[in-house]
Amino acid sequence: MKKIMISIVILFLLSQKIYANVVYDESIYGDLPTGPTVDIHHGMGTNSIVATTGFISSISDFDHFNLIMDDGYKITGINYLISNLSVLPNTDYLITRYDLFDKNNLLDTTKINILSDTNTYLFNKFLPLSGDFLIYHSALGRSTNGGGTWDYEMQLTVSAVQEPNMSLLMLIGLALFGYIFLRNRKSNKKMLQELNIRYCQHL
């Protein structure tokens, strides 16, 4: 009985996919483009996208990417950290936006005030996310002739979703073994009682 239970637990653990954290760094893997998307495969844990972006005069550097996850995993948090902000003189406001798409459908937009926000959370009302999603980064507003550039780290927390089929099978298996164990126990007890009665009758 114990060996069977241990085997079930081992099989369950082996069925769970385990991934190392994934980090996309523009300085290593190249610039995230504006327009075409880069596929970024996310794994279990905290995944970081590290890049530089911004818009100054007619020059803009926006980052578009496709978030890819395997079945059984979901994004439970997206944290956006801003650092190394460089702002042109006379810049009164500098606001950018991130759009979340499911295929061609716009799900949500998060606006970020670069001059005041240093840490913000993206798309909270649509979390957790399961499947593949596109994130488009674009300008929203800046003062005339103003603008700026900044570094950011987008931290995506990925969690495993326990597969209901596997859980159901485990529960059914445990219930079945429990039933067999109790039935055998009752059967053995009954058999011992019958043997005891027969023994007493022969005395």
Side-chain angles (χ1 to χ4, degrees):
M1 182 70 178
K2 289 182 179 179
K3 289 182 178 179
I4 295 174
M5 295 299 296
I6 292 171
S7 298
I8 292 174
V9 173
I10 291 173
L11 286 173
F12 175 75
L13 292 174
L14 289 175
S15 69
Q16 305 302 300
K17 296 178 180 178
I18 301 174
Y19 295 94
N21 293 358
V22 176
V23 177
Y24 189 99
D25 190 333
E26 279 191 333
S27 64
I28 299 174
Y29 302 109
D31 184 62
L32 289 166
T34 301
T37 59
V38 170
D39 292 341
I40 302 178
H41 197 129
H42 289 75
M44 184 78 170
T46 301
N47 302 254
S48 294
I49 299 172
V50 180
T52 299
T53 190
F55 43 106
I56 299 174
S57 300
S58 60
I59 300 174
S60 60
D61 177 17
F62 302 126
D63 301 333
H64 298 170
F65 43 88
N66 185 28
L67 306 178
I68 300 175
M69 288 181 297
D70 290 322
D71 293 338
Y73 292 85
K74 61 184 178 180
I75 296 176
T76 55
I78 304 179
N79 190 15
Y80 188 85
L81 304 172
I82 300 170
S83 62
N84 299 325
L85 174 62
S86 177
V87 182
L88 289 177
N90 303 319
T91 300
D92 300 319
Y93 61 91
L94 182 61
I95 301 174
T96 192
R97 62 183 282 174
Y98 281 87
D99 295 329
L100 178 68
F101 285 86
D102 177 8
K103 297 180 180 178
N104 294 323
N105 302 316
L106 176 62
L107 298 179
D108 194 22
T109 295
T110 299
K111 301 175 183 178
I112 302 172
N113 187 337
I114 302 302
L115 297 182
S116 62
D117 296 336
T118 56
N119 185 351
T120 188
Y121 293 90
L122 308 184
F123 318 125
N124 270 352
K125 63 183 179 182
F126 276 94
L127 298 177
L129 296 173
S130 298
D132 298 346
F133 294 88
L134 296 173
I135 291 183
Y136 286 176
H137 175 209
S138 60
L140 186 61
R142 63 185 174 190
S143 52
T144 305
N145 296 323
T149 61
W150 62 93
D151 296 335
Y152 71 86
E153 179 179 357
M154 187 179 293
Q155 299 175 339
L156 300 101
T157 303
V158 177
S159 306
V161 181
Q162 190 170 2
E163 298 178 8
N165 291 340
M166 191 65 183
S167 301
L168 183 60
L169 288 174
M170 282 193 67
L171 289 174
I172 292 173
L174 290 173
L176 180 61
F177 283 113
Y179 170 75
I180 294 172
F181 176 77
L182 290 175
R183 189 183 66 176
N184 290 340
R185 187 176 179 184
K186 289 180 180 178
S187 178
N188 292 337
K189 186 177 180 181
K190 186 177 179 181
M191 185 175 65
L192 288 173
Q193 288 175 344
E194 290 177 353
L195 290 172
N196 188 38
I197 291 171
R198 290 177 183 176
Y199 175 76
C200 291
Q201 287 175 348
H202 282 80
L203 290 177

Short mmCIF file of all heavy atoms in Angstrom, two decimals, residues 3-67:
data_model
loop_
_atom_site.label_atom_id
_atom_site.label_comp_id
_atom_site.label_asym_id
_atom_site.label_seq_id
_atom_site.Cartn_x
_atom_site.Cartn_y
_atom_site.Cartn_z
N LYS A 3 3.99 1.57 -0.93
CA LYS A 3 4.74 1.67 -2.18
C LYS A 3 3.89 2.25 -3.29
O LYS A 3 4.34 3.05 -4.11
CB LYS A 3 5.28 0.29 -2.59
CG LYS A 3 6.40 -0.22 -1.70
CD LYS A 3 6.91 -1.55 -2.19
CE LYS A 3 8.06 -2.05 -1.33
NZ LYS A 3 8.56 -3.37 -1.78
N ILE A 4 2.61 1.84 -3.33
CA ILE A 4 1.69 2.36 -4.35
C ILE A 4 1.47 3.86 -4.17
O ILE A 4 1.48 4.63 -5.12
CB ILE A 4 0.35 1.60 -4.31
CG1 ILE A 4 0.56 0.13 -4.68
CG2 ILE A 4 -0.68 2.25 -5.23
CD1 ILE A 4 -0.66 -0.74 -4.52
N MET A 5 1.27 4.30 -2.91
CA MET A 5 1.05 5.72 -2.62
C MET A 5 2.28 6.55 -3.00
O MET A 5 2.16 7.64 -3.56
CB MET A 5 0.73 5.91 -1.14
CG MET A 5 -0.59 5.27 -0.71
SD MET A 5 -2.00 5.98 -1.58
CE MET A 5 -1.92 7.65 -0.99
N ILE A 6 3.46 6.05 -2.68
CA ILE A 6 4.71 6.76 -3.03
C ILE A 6 4.85 6.87 -4.54
O ILE A 6 5.24 7.92 -5.06
CB ILE A 6 5.93 6.03 -2.42
CG1 ILE A 6 5.91 6.15 -0.90
CG2 ILE A 6 7.23 6.61 -2.98
CD1 ILE A 6 6.94 5.30 -0.20
N SER A 7 4.49 5.81 -5.27
CA SER A 7 4.56 5.84 -6.73
C SER A 7 3.63 6.89 -7.31
O SER A 7 3.97 7.59 -8.26
CB SER A 7 4.21 4.46 -7.29
OG SER A 7 5.13 3.49 -6.85
N ILE A 8 2.42 7.01 -6.73
CA ILE A 8 1.46 8.01 -7.21
C ILE A 8 2.01 9.42 -7.02
O ILE A 8 1.93 10.27 -7.91
CB ILE A 8 0.11 7.86 -6.48
CG1 ILE A 8 -0.57 6.55 -6.90
CG2 ILE A 8 -0.81 9.04 -6.78
CD1 ILE A 8 -1.82 6.24 -6.13
N VAL A 9 2.58 9.69 -5.84
CA VAL A 9 3.16 11.02 -5.56
C VAL A 9 4.30 11.33 -6.51
O VAL A 9 4.41 12.43 -7.04
CB VAL A 9 3.63 11.09 -4.09
CG1 VAL A 9 4.39 12.40 -3.85
CG2 VAL A 9 2.44 10.98 -3.15
N ILE A 10 5.18 10.35 -6.77
CA ILE A 10 6.31 10.56 -7.68
C ILE A 10 5.83 10.86 -9.09
O ILE A 10 6.33 11.77 -9.76
CB ILE A 10 7.25 9.33 -7.68
CG1 ILE A 10 7.95 9.22 -6.33
CG2 ILE A 10 8.27 9.43 -8.81
CD1 ILE A 10 8.76 7.95 -6.17
N LEU A 11 4.82 10.12 -9.57
CA LEU A 11 4.27 10.35 -10.90
C LEU A 11 3.65 11.74 -11.00
O LEU A 11 3.77 12.43 -12.01
CB LEU A 11 3.22 9.28 -11.22
CG LEU A 11 3.76 7.89 -11.55
CD1 LEU A 11 2.62 6.90 -11.68
CD2 LEU A 11 4.59 7.93 -12.84
N PHE A 12 2.98 12.18 -9.93
CA PHE A 12 2.38 13.52 -9.93
C PHE A 12 3.45 14.60 -10.03
O PHE A 12 3.32 15.55 -10.80
CB PHE A 12 1.54 13.71 -8.67
CG PHE A 12 0.99 15.10 -8.53
CD1 PHE A 12 -0.09 15.51 -9.30
CD2 PHE A 12 1.54 15.99 -7.64
CE1 PHE A 12 -0.60 16.78 -9.18
CE2 PHE A 12 1.04 17.27 -7.50
CZ PHE A 12 -0.04 17.66 -8.28
N LEU A 13 4.52 14.46 -9.26
CA LEU A 13 5.60 15.46 -9.28
C LEU A 13 6.30 15.50 -10.63
O LEU A 13 6.64 16.57 -11.14
CB LEU A 13 6.61 15.17 -8.17
CG LEU A 13 6.10 15.37 -6.73
CD1 LEU A 13 7.15 14.91 -5.73
CD2 LEU A 13 5.70 16.81 -6.48
N LEU A 14 6.49 14.33 -11.24
CA LEU A 14 7.15 14.28 -12.54
C LEU A 14 6.29 14.89 -13.63
O LEU A 14 6.80 15.38 -14.64
CB LEU A 14 7.48 12.83 -12.90
CG LEU A 14 8.61 12.18 -12.09
CD1 LEU A 14 8.74 10.71 -12.47
CD2 LEU A 14 9.92 12.91 -12.29
N SER A 15 4.97 14.90 -13.43
CA SER A 15 4.08 15.44 -14.46
C SER A 15 4.05 16.96 -14.45
O SER A 15 3.54 17.59 -15.37
CB SER A 15 2.65 14.92 -14.25
OG SER A 15 2.09 15.46 -13.06
N GLN A 16 4.58 17.60 -13.38
CA GLN A 16 4.58 19.05 -13.28
C GLN A 16 5.82 19.62 -13.96
O GLN A 16 6.94 19.27 -13.61
CB GLN A 16 4.56 19.49 -11.80
CG GLN A 16 3.40 18.91 -11.00
CD GLN A 16 2.06 19.26 -11.59
OE1 GLN A 16 1.72 20.44 -11.71
NE2 GLN A 16 1.30 18.26 -12.00
N LYS A 17 5.61 20.53 -14.94
CA LYS A 17 6.74 21.14 -15.65
C LYS A 17 7.38 22.20 -14.78
O LYS A 17 6.71 23.00 -14.13
CB LYS A 17 6.24 21.78 -16.95
CG LYS A 17 5.68 20.78 -17.94
CD LYS A 17 5.17 21.48 -19.18
CE LYS A 17 4.60 20.50 -20.18
NZ LYS A 17 4.05 21.17 -21.37
N ILE A 18 8.71 22.21 -14.78
CA ILE A 18 9.45 23.19 -13.99
C ILE A 18 10.39 23.95 -14.92
O ILE A 18 11.17 23.35 -15.64
CB ILE A 18 10.25 22.51 -12.86
CG1 ILE A 18 9.28 21.74 -11.95
CG2 ILE A 18 11.04 23.53 -12.07
CD1 ILE A 18 9.97 20.92 -10.88
N TYR A 19 10.28 25.27 -14.90
CA TYR A 19 11.10 26.10 -15.78
C TYR A 19 11.94 27.07 -14.93
O TYR A 19 11.51 27.53 -13.89
CB TYR A 19 10.23 26.92 -16.72
CG TYR A 19 9.45 26.08 -17.71
CD1 TYR A 19 8.15 25.69 -17.44
CD2 TYR A 19 10.01 25.67 -18.92
CE1 TYR A 19 7.43 24.92 -18.34
CE2 TYR A 19 9.30 24.91 -19.83
CZ TYR A 19 8.01 24.54 -19.53
OH TYR A 19 7.31 23.78 -20.41
N ALA A 20 13.11 27.38 -15.44
CA ALA A 20 13.92 28.42 -14.81
C ALA A 20 13.35 29.78 -15.21
O ALA A 20 12.64 29.90 -16.19
CB ALA A 20 15.37 28.30 -15.28
N ASN A 21 13.66 30.79 -14.40
CA ASN A 21 13.19 32.14 -14.73
C ASN A 21 13.77 32.59 -16.06
O ASN A 21 14.90 32.26 -16.41
CB ASN A 21 13.59 33.12 -13.62
CG ASN A 21 12.86 32.84 -12.33
OD1 ASN A 21 12.03 31.95 -12.27
ND2 ASN A 21 13.17 33.59 -11.30
N VAL A 22 12.99 33.36 -16.79
CA VAL A 22 13.41 33.85 -18.10
C VAL A 22 13.64 35.35 -18.01
O VAL A 22 12.83 36.09 -17.48
CB VAL A 22 12.33 33.55 -19.16
CG1 VAL A 22 12.72 34.14 -20.50
CG2 VAL A 22 12.12 32.04 -19.29
N VAL A 23 14.76 35.83 -18.52
CA VAL A 23 15.06 37.26 -18.52
C VAL A 23 15.39 37.69 -19.95
O VAL A 23 16.25 37.09 -20.60
CB VAL A 23 16.26 37.60 -17.60
CG1 VAL A 23 16.58 39.08 -17.68
CG2 VAL A 23 15.96 37.19 -16.16
N TYR A 24 14.67 38.71 -20.46
CA TYR A 24 15.00 39.29 -21.76
C TYR A 24 15.64 40.65 -21.50
O TYR A 24 15.03 41.55 -20.93
CB TYR A 24 13.76 39.47 -22.63
CG TYR A 24 14.11 39.87 -24.06
CD1 TYR A 24 14.14 38.93 -25.07
CD2 TYR A 24 14.43 41.19 -24.37
CE1 TYR A 24 14.48 39.29 -26.36
CE2 TYR A 24 14.78 41.56 -25.65
CZ TYR A 24 14.80 40.61 -26.65
OH TYR A 24 15.15 40.97 -27.92
N ASP A 25 16.90 40.76 -21.90
CA ASP A 25 17.66 42.00 -21.70
C ASP A 25 18.06 42.52 -23.08
O ASP A 25 18.74 41.82 -23.83
CB ASP A 25 18.89 41.72 -20.84
CG ASP A 25 19.59 42.99 -20.39
OD1 ASP A 25 19.49 44.01 -21.09
OD2 ASP A 25 20.25 42.94 -19.34
N GLU A 26 17.64 43.76 -23.39
CA GLU A 26 17.95 44.32 -24.71
C GLU A 26 19.44 44.38 -24.97
O GLU A 26 19.89 44.25 -26.11
CB GLU A 26 17.35 45.73 -24.84
CG GLU A 26 15.87 45.75 -25.19
CD GLU A 26 15.40 47.13 -25.56
OE1 GLU A 26 16.01 48.12 -25.08
OE2 GLU A 26 14.42 47.25 -26.32
N SER A 27 20.23 44.58 -23.92
CA SER A 27 21.68 44.69 -24.11
C SER A 27 22.30 43.35 -24.50
O SER A 27 23.41 43.30 -25.01
CB SER A 27 22.34 45.21 -22.83
OG SER A 27 22.17 44.29 -21.77
N ILE A 28 21.56 42.26 -24.28
CA ILE A 28 22.06 40.93 -24.62
C ILE A 28 21.40 40.39 -25.88
O ILE A 28 22.06 39.91 -26.80
CB ILE A 28 21.82 39.95 -23.45
CG1 ILE A 28 22.57 40.42 -22.20
CG2 ILE A 28 22.24 38.53 -23.84
CD1 ILE A 28 22.27 39.61 -20.97
N TYR A 29 20.06 40.49 -25.95
CA TYR A 29 19.31 39.84 -27.03
C TYR A 29 18.90 40.78 -28.17
O TYR A 29 18.33 40.34 -29.15
CB TYR A 29 18.06 39.17 -26.46
CG TYR A 29 18.37 38.15 -25.40
CD1 TYR A 29 18.07 38.38 -24.07
CD2 TYR A 29 18.99 36.95 -25.73
CE1 TYR A 29 18.37 37.44 -23.09
CE2 TYR A 29 19.29 36.00 -24.76
CZ TYR A 29 18.98 36.26 -23.45
OH TYR A 29 19.27 35.33 -22.48
N GLY A 30 19.21 42.07 -28.01
CA GLY A 30 18.88 43.02 -29.07
C GLY A 30 17.65 43.85 -28.75
O GLY A 30 16.87 43.52 -27.86
N ASP A 31 17.49 44.93 -29.49
CA ASP A 31 16.42 45.89 -29.24
C ASP A 31 15.05 45.29 -29.53
O ASP A 31 14.84 44.61 -30.53
CB ASP A 31 16.63 47.12 -30.13
CG ASP A 31 15.60 48.20 -29.84
OD1 ASP A 31 15.59 48.70 -28.70
OD2 ASP A 31 14.81 48.52 -30.74
N LEU A 32 14.12 45.52 -28.60
CA LEU A 32 12.73 45.13 -28.85
C LEU A 32 12.15 46.10 -29.88
O LEU A 32 12.21 47.31 -29.69
CB LEU A 32 11.92 45.19 -27.55
CG LEU A 32 12.25 44.11 -26.52
CD1 LEU A 32 11.65 44.47 -25.17
CD2 LEU A 32 11.76 42.76 -26.99
N PRO A 33 11.59 45.60 -30.98
CA PRO A 33 11.20 46.48 -32.08
C PRO A 33 9.87 47.17 -31.86
O PRO A 33 9.05 46.77 -31.04
CB PRO A 33 11.11 45.51 -33.27
CG PRO A 33 10.69 44.22 -32.64
CD PRO A 33 11.35 44.18 -31.30
N THR A 34 9.65 48.23 -32.63
CA THR A 34 8.36 48.89 -32.72
C THR A 34 7.65 48.32 -33.94
O THR A 34 8.14 48.43 -35.05
CB THR A 34 8.51 50.41 -32.87
OG1 THR A 34 9.23 50.91 -31.74
CG2 THR A 34 7.16 51.09 -32.96
N GLY A 35 6.49 47.74 -33.75
CA GLY A 35 5.76 47.16 -34.88
C GLY A 35 5.81 45.65 -34.83
O GLY A 35 4.92 45.03 -34.24
N PRO A 36 6.85 45.02 -35.38
CA PRO A 36 6.96 43.55 -35.27
C PRO A 36 7.14 43.17 -33.80
O PRO A 36 7.68 43.94 -33.01
CB PRO A 36 8.21 43.22 -36.08
CG PRO A 36 8.45 44.41 -36.94
CD PRO A 36 7.94 45.59 -36.19
N THR A 37 6.70 41.99 -33.44
CA THR A 37 6.81 41.55 -32.06
C THR A 37 7.89 40.50 -31.90
O THR A 37 8.18 39.73 -32.81
CB THR A 37 5.47 40.97 -31.55
OG1 THR A 37 5.11 39.87 -32.37
CG2 THR A 37 4.38 42.02 -31.59
N VAL A 38 8.47 40.47 -30.72
CA VAL A 38 9.44 39.45 -30.34
C VAL A 38 8.73 38.48 -29.41
O VAL A 38 8.05 38.88 -28.46
CB VAL A 38 10.66 40.07 -29.63
CG1 VAL A 38 11.54 38.99 -29.04
CG2 VAL A 38 11.46 40.93 -30.60
N ASP A 39 8.87 37.17 -29.69
CA ASP A 39 8.27 36.15 -28.83
C ASP A 39 9.14 35.95 -27.60
O ASP A 39 10.33 35.66 -27.71
CB ASP A 39 8.12 34.83 -29.58
CG ASP A 39 7.09 34.90 -30.69
OD1 ASP A 39 6.25 35.82 -30.66
OD2 ASP A 39 7.12 34.04 -31.59
N ILE A 40 8.54 36.09 -26.42
CA ILE A 40 9.27 35.89 -25.17
C ILE A 40 8.55 34.79 -24.39
O ILE A 40 7.41 34.96 -23.97
CB ILE A 40 9.34 37.18 -24.33
CG1 ILE A 40 10.01 38.30 -25.14
CG2 ILE A 40 10.10 36.94 -23.04
CD1 ILE A 40 10.08 39.62 -24.42
N HIS A 41 9.24 33.66 -24.24
CA HIS A 41 8.67 32.50 -23.55
C HIS A 41 8.89 32.66 -22.06
O HIS A 41 10.02 32.80 -21.61
CB HIS A 41 9.34 31.22 -24.06
CG HIS A 41 8.57 29.99 -23.73
ND1 HIS A 41 8.24 29.05 -24.67
CD2 HIS A 41 8.04 29.55 -22.56
CE1 HIS A 41 7.57 28.08 -24.11
NE2 HIS A 41 7.44 28.35 -22.82
N HIS A 42 7.80 32.62 -21.30
CA HIS A 42 7.89 32.81 -19.86
C HIS A 42 7.75 31.49 -19.12
O HIS A 42 6.97 30.62 -19.51
CB HIS A 42 6.80 33.79 -19.39
CG HIS A 42 7.07 35.20 -19.81
ND1 HIS A 42 6.90 35.63 -21.09
CD2 HIS A 42 7.55 36.25 -19.11
CE1 HIS A 42 7.25 36.91 -21.17
NE2 HIS A 42 7.64 37.30 -19.98
N GLY A 43 8.51 31.38 -18.04
CA GLY A 43 8.48 30.18 -17.22
C GLY A 43 8.09 30.50 -15.79
O GLY A 43 7.79 31.64 -15.44
N MET A 44 8.13 29.48 -14.97
CA MET A 44 7.73 29.58 -13.57
C MET A 44 8.60 30.57 -12.81
O MET A 44 9.81 30.61 -12.98
CB MET A 44 7.84 28.20 -12.93
CG MET A 44 7.36 28.12 -11.52
SD MET A 44 5.58 28.07 -11.46
CE MET A 44 5.37 27.67 -9.72
N GLY A 45 7.97 31.43 -11.99
CA GLY A 45 8.70 32.37 -11.16
C GLY A 45 8.57 33.80 -11.66
O GLY A 45 7.59 34.17 -12.32
N THR A 46 9.57 34.63 -11.35
CA THR A 46 9.58 36.02 -11.79
C THR A 46 10.40 36.16 -13.05
O THR A 46 11.59 35.83 -13.07
CB THR A 46 10.15 36.94 -10.70
OG1 THR A 46 9.36 36.82 -9.51
CG2 THR A 46 10.13 38.39 -11.16
N ASN A 47 9.78 36.64 -14.12
CA ASN A 47 10.43 36.83 -15.42
C ASN A 47 10.62 38.32 -15.66
O ASN A 47 9.66 39.09 -15.54
CB ASN A 47 9.58 36.23 -16.53
CG ASN A 47 9.30 34.76 -16.33
OD1 ASN A 47 9.87 33.92 -17.00
ND2 ASN A 47 8.41 34.43 -15.41
N SER A 48 11.81 38.73 -16.01
CA SER A 48 12.09 40.16 -16.19
C SER A 48 12.40 40.49 -17.64
O SER A 48 13.15 39.78 -18.30
CB SER A 48 13.27 40.59 -15.31
OG SER A 48 12.94 40.50 -13.94
N ILE A 49 11.81 41.59 -18.10
CA ILE A 49 12.15 42.18 -19.39
C ILE A 49 12.83 43.51 -19.09
O ILE A 49 12.22 44.40 -18.50
CB ILE A 49 10.90 42.39 -20.26
CG1 ILE A 49 10.21 41.05 -20.53
CG2 ILE A 49 11.26 43.09 -21.56
CD1 ILE A 49 8.87 41.18 -21.23
N VAL A 50 14.10 43.62 -19.47
CA VAL A 50 14.90 44.81 -19.15
C VAL A 50 15.21 45.53 -20.45
O VAL A 50 15.78 44.95 -21.38
CB VAL A 50 16.20 44.42 -18.43
CG1 VAL A 50 17.03 45.66 -18.11
CG2 VAL A 50 15.89 43.64 -17.16
N ALA A 51 14.83 46.82 -20.54
CA ALA A 51 15.00 47.54 -21.80
C ALA A 51 15.06 49.04 -21.57
O ALA A 51 14.80 49.54 -20.47
CB ALA A 51 13.85 47.20 -22.75
N THR A 52 15.40 49.76 -22.64
CA THR A 52 15.39 51.22 -22.67
C THR A 52 14.35 51.66 -23.68
O THR A 52 14.23 51.07 -24.76
CB THR A 52 16.76 51.77 -23.07
OG1 THR A 52 17.74 51.34 -22.11
CG2 THR A 52 16.75 53.29 -23.13
N THR A 53 13.61 52.69 -23.34
CA THR A 53 12.56 53.18 -24.24
C THR A 53 12.40 54.68 -24.07
O THR A 53 13.08 55.31 -23.27
CB THR A 53 11.24 52.43 -23.95
OG1 THR A 53 10.29 52.73 -24.97
CG2 THR A 53 10.66 52.83 -22.61
N GLY A 54 11.47 55.27 -24.83
CA GLY A 54 11.21 56.70 -24.71
C GLY A 54 10.90 57.33 -26.05
O GLY A 54 10.92 56.68 -27.10
N PHE A 55 10.59 58.64 -26.00
CA PHE A 55 10.34 59.37 -27.23
C PHE A 55 10.81 60.81 -27.05
O PHE A 55 10.49 61.49 -26.09
CB PHE A 55 8.86 59.29 -27.65
CG PHE A 55 7.86 59.45 -26.54
CD1 PHE A 55 7.12 60.63 -26.42
CD2 PHE A 55 7.63 58.43 -25.64
CE1 PHE A 55 6.18 60.77 -25.41
CE2 PHE A 55 6.68 58.57 -24.64
CZ PHE A 55 5.96 59.75 -24.52
N ILE A 56 11.64 61.24 -28.02
CA ILE A 56 12.20 62.60 -28.04
C ILE A 56 12.02 63.16 -29.43
O ILE A 56 12.50 62.57 -30.41
CB ILE A 56 13.70 62.60 -27.66
CG1 ILE A 56 13.89 62.04 -26.24
CG2 ILE A 56 14.28 64.00 -27.74
CD1 ILE A 56 15.34 61.88 -25.84
N SER A 57 11.36 64.32 -29.55
CA SER A 57 11.08 64.96 -30.84
C SER A 57 10.47 63.93 -31.80
O SER A 57 9.45 63.35 -31.49
CB SER A 57 12.36 65.57 -31.42
OG SER A 57 12.87 66.54 -30.53
N SER A 58 11.10 63.69 -32.94
CA SER A 58 10.53 62.78 -33.93
C SER A 58 11.03 61.35 -33.74
O SER A 58 10.66 60.46 -34.50
CB SER A 58 10.87 63.25 -35.34
OG SER A 58 12.27 63.31 -35.52
N ILE A 59 11.88 61.14 -32.76
CA ILE A 59 12.46 59.81 -32.54
C ILE A 59 11.70 59.11 -31.42
O ILE A 59 11.47 59.68 -30.35
CB ILE A 59 13.95 59.91 -32.17
CG1 ILE A 59 14.73 60.60 -33.28
CG2 ILE A 59 14.53 58.53 -31.89
CD1 ILE A 59 16.17 60.87 -32.94
N SER A 60 11.29 57.88 -31.67
CA SER A 60 10.60 57.10 -30.64
C SER A 60 11.16 55.68 -30.61
O SER A 60 11.58 55.15 -31.64
CB SER A 60 9.09 57.07 -30.90
OG SER A 60 8.82 56.49 -32.16
N ASP A 61 11.17 55.12 -29.44
CA ASP A 61 11.65 53.74 -29.26
C ASP A 61 10.64 53.01 -28.40
O ASP A 61 10.68 53.07 -27.17
CB ASP A 61 13.03 53.74 -28.59
CG ASP A 61 13.53 52.32 -28.32
OD1 ASP A 61 12.99 51.38 -28.91
OD2 ASP A 61 14.45 52.17 -27.49
N PHE A 62 9.70 52.34 -29.05
CA PHE A 62 8.65 51.61 -28.34
C PHE A 62 8.86 50.11 -28.50
O PHE A 62 9.36 49.66 -29.53
CB PHE A 62 7.27 52.03 -28.84
CG PHE A 62 7.02 53.50 -28.70
CD1 PHE A 62 6.64 54.26 -29.79
CD2 PHE A 62 7.19 54.12 -27.48
CE1 PHE A 62 6.42 55.61 -29.66
CE2 PHE A 62 6.97 55.48 -27.34
CZ PHE A 62 6.59 56.24 -28.43
N ASP A 63 8.47 49.38 -27.48
CA ASP A 63 8.76 47.95 -27.42
C ASP A 63 7.48 47.13 -27.51
O ASP A 63 6.58 47.28 -26.68
CB ASP A 63 9.50 47.61 -26.12
CG ASP A 63 10.80 48.39 -25.99
OD1 ASP A 63 11.37 48.76 -27.04
OD2 ASP A 63 11.26 48.61 -24.85
N HIS A 64 7.42 46.27 -28.53
CA HIS A 64 6.27 45.38 -28.71
C HIS A 64 6.73 43.94 -28.57
O HIS A 64 7.73 43.55 -29.17
CB HIS A 64 5.64 45.59 -30.09
CG HIS A 64 5.12 46.98 -30.30
ND1 HIS A 64 4.70 47.44 -31.52
CD2 HIS A 64 4.96 48.02 -29.45
CE1 HIS A 64 4.29 48.69 -31.42
NE2 HIS A 64 4.45 49.07 -30.18
N PHE A 65 6.01 43.16 -27.79
CA PHE A 65 6.42 41.76 -27.63
C PHE A 65 5.22 40.87 -27.34
O PHE A 65 4.15 41.32 -26.93
CB PHE A 65 7.48 41.61 -26.54
CG PHE A 65 7.23 42.41 -25.29
CD1 PHE A 65 6.47 41.90 -24.27
CD2 PHE A 65 7.77 43.68 -25.16
CE1 PHE A 65 6.24 42.63 -23.13
CE2 PHE A 65 7.55 44.43 -24.01
CZ PHE A 65 6.78 43.90 -22.98
N ASN A 66 5.45 39.60 -27.61
CA ASN A 66 4.43 38.57 -27.45
C ASN A 66 4.79 37.68 -26.27
O ASN A 66 5.86 37.08 -26.24
CB ASN A 66 4.34 37.74 -28.74
CG ASN A 66 3.20 36.73 -28.69
OD1 ASN A 66 2.21 36.95 -28.01
ND2 ASN A 66 3.35 35.65 -29.42
N LEU A 67 3.90 37.61 -25.29
CA LEU A 67 4.13 36.78 -24.11
C LEU A 67 3.62 35.37 -24.38
O LEU A 67 2.44 35.19 -24.70
CB LEU A 67 3.40 37.36 -22.89
CG LEU A 67 3.70 38.82 -22.56
CD1 LEU A 67 2.86 39.26 -21.35
CD2 LEU A 67 5.17 39.03 -22.28
#
